[in-house]
Amino acid sequence: MDNRAIKKRLRQEALARRDALDPEWRIEASLRMADEAAHIGMEPGATVSGFWPMRSEVDVRPLMFALRELGGRLCLPAILDKQTIVFRELVRGAPLVDMGFGTAGPGPEAEILQPTLMLVPLAAFDRRGHRIGYGAGYYDRAIAKLQAGPRPPRLVGIAFDCQEVERVPDEPHDVVIPEFLTESGLHSFTPAL
């Protein structure tokens, strides 16, 4: 079986486990994760990219708002085309628009920011810091571009513990994420290829 097929199977299995979680439990777990905001150790004035949750994802909004209370400037991904996302500022009271995939974000009038702390959505992850996204590669491309810049962002994967898999197949374009926040806390993994 090739890496693409293995990733597809691992993604489907991890998402099925996530979907099977009790919706009320997911809400409580998401709120517990927001309590970890102070432990994330964000730099003052950091630009934090989060994401508007879709389907059974961790509801990262309470965490984002907690980080804003600690001085973070928030932004959300905006899909520009089939290859590119940018991060637009999330301002209190500003309208959100449909971004596709069942998610929302700031409209084109919002300022484009360069995140210094990225809360990264995912379908599955392993303890080496490898992740499986949703298959379109938006985050892999956006992170690679930001990492090539003058100030690479700090990456924190966001998931439930049930999304952990034994091993994500390695591919040359993979972005390794050294930290993951789950309902059991902030975990630092030693990236290894």
Side-chain angles (χ1 to χ4, degrees):
M1 190 179 293
D2 69 355
N3 282 349
R4 178 174 285 183
I6 294 169
K7 282 186 172 184
K8 181 178 179 181
R9 179 181 54 79
L10 291 172
R11 179 186 300 114
Q12 289 172 336
E13 291 171 358
L15 292 179
R17 289 190 301 271
R18 189 182 78 187
D19 289 345
L21 295 172
D22 178 73
E24 288 182 26
W25 182 91
R26 282 198 309 263
I27 292 168
E28 290 298 322
S30 295
L31 291 172
R32 282 195 307 274
M33 291 166 74
D35 292 340
E36 293 291 321
H39 298 113
I40 287 179
M42 178 186 75
E43 295 178 24
T47 300
V48 180
S49 72
F51 53 92
W52 213 252
M54 59 183 187
R55 299 187 297 271
S56 60
E57 277 184 326
V58 171
D59 187 346
V60 74
R61 292 173 294 187
L63 174 60
M64 290 169 49
F65 301 146
L67 291 170
R68 179 171 49 204
E69 293 301 314
L70 294 173
R73 187 175 181 190
L74 301 182
C75 57
L76 292 173
I79 298 171
L80 297 185
D81 56 44
K82 292 185 178 190
Q83 294 290 313
T84 310
I85 58 173
V86 295
F87 297 90
R88 294 181 180 155
E89 185 170 20
L90 176 63
V91 177
R92 190 173 298 190
L96 298 178
V97 298
D98 180 14
M99 287 290 147
F101 301 103
T103 189
E109 69 285 349
E111 184 178 352
I112 294 176
L113 303 176
Q114 298 298 310
T116 55
L117 170 61
M118 294 181 73
L119 306 177
V120 182
L122 54 97
F125 67 97
D126 69 22
R127 291 199 171 260
R128 301 173 310 130
H130 288 255
R131 73 181 267 279
I132 298 174
Y134 292 104
Y138 286 111
Y139 267 85
D140 288 328
R141 287 187 296 277
I143 292 169
K145 183 178 176 183
L146 290 167
Q147 286 181 325
R151 188 164 183 207
R154 178 179 172 200
L155 307 174
V156 179
I158 303 293
F160 293 113
D161 286 327
C162 70
Q163 292 171 252
E164 183 178 339
V165 298
E166 186 175 333
R167 185 177 179 91
V168 171
D170 300 353
E171 296 194 76
H173 66 273
D174 285 346
V175 174
V176 177
I177 299 180
E179 297 174 272
F180 287 82
L181 179 63
T182 70
E183 72 273 16
S184 62
L186 184 64
H187 308 277
S188 295
F189 300 148
T190 303
L193 302 172

